[in-house]
Amino acid sequence: MIQFSDMRFIFRILPILLIAYYLLPAKARPWILLLGSLAFYAVDEPYYFLLLVGATLVNYLLGRGSFHKKTALFVVSVLLDVGLLAGFKIMDMWNQNFLLPLGLSFYVFKMISYQSDLYHGRIRRATFRDTAVYFTMFPQILSGPITRFSYIEGNDFWRGKHYGKSKKNYLLDIFYQLDDGVRYFVLGLALKVILADHLAILWKEIGTIGYESISTPLAWLGVVAYSLTLYFDFWGYSLMAAGLGVMLGFPFVRNFDQPYSAASVSDFYRRWHMTLGQWFRDYVYIPMGGSRKGSLRTLLNLIVVWLLTGLWHGAGGTFLLWAGALCLIIIWEKFVLKKAGKLGKVLGHVHVLILIPLSWIIFALPTMQDIGIYFSRLFPFFGQGVAVNASDILTNLKAFWGYLVAGFVMLIPGWKRIYQKYKNHDVMTMILFVVFWLCVYSLANAMGNPFYYLRF
């Protein structure tokens, strides 16, 4: 599998694509991006490639009806997209060896938003080329972000239009886009390769030992390790995807905003996978009435959104349990803690720092039995069992303390402001240069771990 942290992508695919993108005539850029994106997907998913192409063609054709406000065709298009996603999720649930098409949930959600925005007049009808670019563009096809069609509709730079700018200024624009994009990409690569991938080893070590055999302290260290792994994996991916978009002339997409600084669980999920949360808000929660139609309706809307969120991640019982637990916490925050003043604010932060990491364990483990065993080690008064090695936490802390400390340091709010302030400074450039080659060294000496969201 070729992914953004693969050296074949970094040193072969990406340079070739960028050279073609910027050295060939500017009018060819949309076609280069489309063909490059299709080729990128076809390499990883040769069997599901035709599914993506077929879904793209069908949505473009049905989009004509949505644009002309033909309700029946709009409903048919949405039902087809939802049915496509639901069908594969059900097959995944019933067959453990079944692999979902890469990026299915992400490009299907784009297709649904496209149909809805056309139907409601929020975007104009576009050419097949532009529509296909939006659905398939390689920086977003694997794991998002889930942008709207306006992301490409309102941006002519990628189409090669420079509106009378001198050649010098136009070339400077390209240079600045590439420079910014590369910097974001390197930052994301470092978070993924140096932090997430190494912390993932600690989590895998715990699985190798066996959840029933670990000590309670090591079980809690596992909660920390998995939470940090997922955090830096997705933050890293989000920066890399956004950086690739910037290299191609698109605006930076915010998909991750220091979620552990959040004041509550609901605030956490406004900061985590931001474009997914915004999608559910704009296309499910608000159309159902949001918070405008009384407490009971708000309660129902929250339950529906979190049920769909769980199903989006997977049709298995563990994902529904994870989503249900979060939904209950958010309902508790919204209807009870909100009225508790300062105490409510304190408890909201406690939820983020303790309950969110515990919820990730439900998310991580494949069966209800594994979840039960792991929580019996976290809270041994709920279960029985003796650790094989009561000092196992010391062994793992000795091996991974540096990555854990670095992870906690990177959780501190304010890094974004520091980077924005000094990003063009020579010292920052040198730091990024060194970090990049440290990442390359790490990649050359280890098997790269896939991004956690690749099969959702």
Side-chain angles (χ1 to χ4, degrees):
M1 179 187 298
I2 296 177
Q3 52 186 330
F4 299 157
S5 56
D6 190 314
M7 288 207 290
R8 291 172 295 173
F9 176 80
I10 295 170
F11 289 107
R12 297 179 187 174
I13 297 173
L14 183 59
I16 291 172
L17 180 66
L18 290 174
I19 289 169
Y21 192 74
Y22 283 114
L23 291 188
L24 292 177
K27 291 182 180 179
R29 279 184 204 158
W31 292 108
I32 294 170
L33 180 54
L34 175 58
L35 295 175
S37 296
L38 290 173
F40 176 78
Y41 192 83
V43 169
D44 276 338
E45 290 285 34
Y47 298 108
Y48 288 130
F49 172 72
L50 290 179
L51 176 70
L52 172 62
V53 173
T56 297
L57 181 59
V58 169
N59 272 272
Y60 171 73
L61 293 174
L62 289 175
R64 296 181 177 185
S66 297
F67 178 75
H68 292 293
K69 299 190 181 299
K70 294 182 179 180
T71 304
L73 288 177
F74 167 64
V75 172
V76 167
S77 66
V78 173
L79 289 177
L80 283 175
D81 288 334
V82 171
L84 175 66
L85 182 57
F88 275 98
K89 292 286 186 181
I90 291 170
M91 285 190 284
D92 181 52
M93 179 179 68
W94 290 108
N95 184 353
Q96 293 183 347
N97 295 320
F98 181 81
L99 287 178
L100 287 169
L102 282 173
L104 176 69
S105 298
F106 296 94
Y107 68 72
V108 166
F109 268 30
K110 276 188 171 185
M111 291 169 179
I112 294 172
S113 72
Y114 173 77
Q115 298 292 348
S116 179
D117 289 350
L118 275 177
Y119 183 74
H120 292 98
R122 289 188 283 262
I123 58 175
R124 301 185 304 273
R125 182 178 163 189
T127 64
F128 174 74
R129 181 200 66 188
D130 286 7
T131 304
V133 166
Y134 168 61
F135 292 152
T136 66
M137 59 189 309
F138 78 90
Q140 301 176 5
I141 189 70
L142 296 182
S143 299
I146 306 171
T147 55
R148 313 297 167 80
F149 186 72
S150 55
Y151 175 72
I152 71 168
E153 182 184 46
N155 176 17
D156 284 333
F157 182 87
W158 72 284
R159 295 188 183 93
K161 297 180 181 178
H162 47 87
Y163 299 109
K165 285 188 177 181
S166 67
K167 185 175 181 180
K168 178 181 177 181
N169 288 337
Y170 185 57
L171 291 175
L172 282 174
D173 285 345
I174 293 175
F175 172 79
Y176 289 135
Q177 291 279 152
L178 287 170
D179 182 61
D180 273 353
V182 168
R183 290 170 186 270
Y184 286 123
F185 186 88
V186 172
L187 286 171
L189 183 67
L191 293 174
K192 164 65 176 168
V193 173
I194 296 177
L195 287 179
D197 284 358
H198 286 90
L199 289 167
I201 298 172
L202 172 54
W203 172 247
K204 289 176 182 177
E205 287 287 330
I206 293 172
T208 301
I209 294 170
Y211 305 132
E212 70 281 352
S213 302
I214 60 176
S215 68
T216 293
L218 183 58
W220 280 98
L221 183 64
V223 172
V224 173
Y226 185 77
S227 299
L228 291 177
T229 297
L230 197 58
Y231 183 91
F232 292 113
D233 182 273
F234 192 60
W235 188 10
Y237 170 84
S238 296
L239 283 173
M240 293 169 77
L244 288 169
V246 171
M247 289 183 215
L248 297 168
F250 295 95
F252 182 87
V253 180
R254 291 180 65 207
N255 203 28
F256 198 90
D257 185 20
Q258 297 286 335
Y260 279 111
S261 301
S264 63
V265 171
S266 56
D267 186 28
F268 180 94
Y269 279 99
R270 282 190 289 269
R271 296 164 173 257
W272 177 283
H273 211 326
M274 296 166 68
T275 56
L276 177 63
Q278 291 160 3
W279 192 97
F280 275 112
R281 180 197 66 197
D282 294 344
Y283 298 104
V284 179
Y285 186 69
I286 290 177
M288 290 181 64
S291 303
R292 304 186 307 274
K293 296 187 177 182
S295 296
L296 287 177
R297 185 61 175 272
T298 300
L299 181 65
L300 173 63
N301 294 343
L302 286 171
I303 292 172
V304 170
V305 165
W306 278 97
L307 173 64
L308 294 175
T309 301
L311 292 172
W312 181 86
H313 283 87
T318 57
F319 289 116
L320 293 178
L321 177 62
W322 166 77
L326 291 172
C327 183
L328 288 175
I329 296 169
I330 289 172
I331 290 170
W332 159 257
E333 290 177 344
K334 188 172 186 67
F335 292 101
V336 180
L337 286 192
K338 192 175 181 180
K339 302 174 183 178
K342 292 183 178 180
L343 176 61
K345 293 180 179 179
V346 171
L347 289 177
H349 286 291
V350 171
H351 288 172
V352 170
L353 297 176
I354 296 179
L355 297 186
I356 287 290
L358 287 174
S359 74
W360 286 134
I361 296 302
I362 302 174
F363 184 89
L365 299 179
T367 68
M368 294 292 187
Q369 182 180 7
D370 287 333
I371 293 170
I373 292 171
Y374 202 97
F375 273 82
S376 74
R377 302 312 305 152
L378 288 170
F379 305 99
F381 43 87
F382 283 146
Q384 297 178 350
V386 178
V388 172
N389 179 7
S391 62
D392 51 11
I393 186 174
L394 298 178
T395 302
N396 285 281
L397 279 175
K398 183 178 179 180
F400 293 98
W401 71 269
Y403 298 109
L404 290 165
V405 169
F408 282 120
V409 169
M410 290 303 298
L411 289 180
I412 299 172
W415 286 112
K416 179 182 176 182
R417 292 193 300 273
I418 293 172
Y419 172 73
Q420 290 295 340
K421 184 176 181 180
Y422 296 106
K423 69 175 184 176
N424 294 319
H425 197 281
D426 290 343
V427 174
M428 180 63 74
T429 302
M430 183 57 64
I431 290 172
L432 290 175
F433 179 81
V434 172
V435 165
F436 173 75
W437 287 107
L438 284 175
C439 291
V440 171
Y441 175 80
S442 182
L443 287 169
N445 289 278
M447 292 293 291
N449 291 319
F451 289 100
Y452 277 67
Y453 273 80
L454 279 181
R455 287 286 175 184
F456 291 141

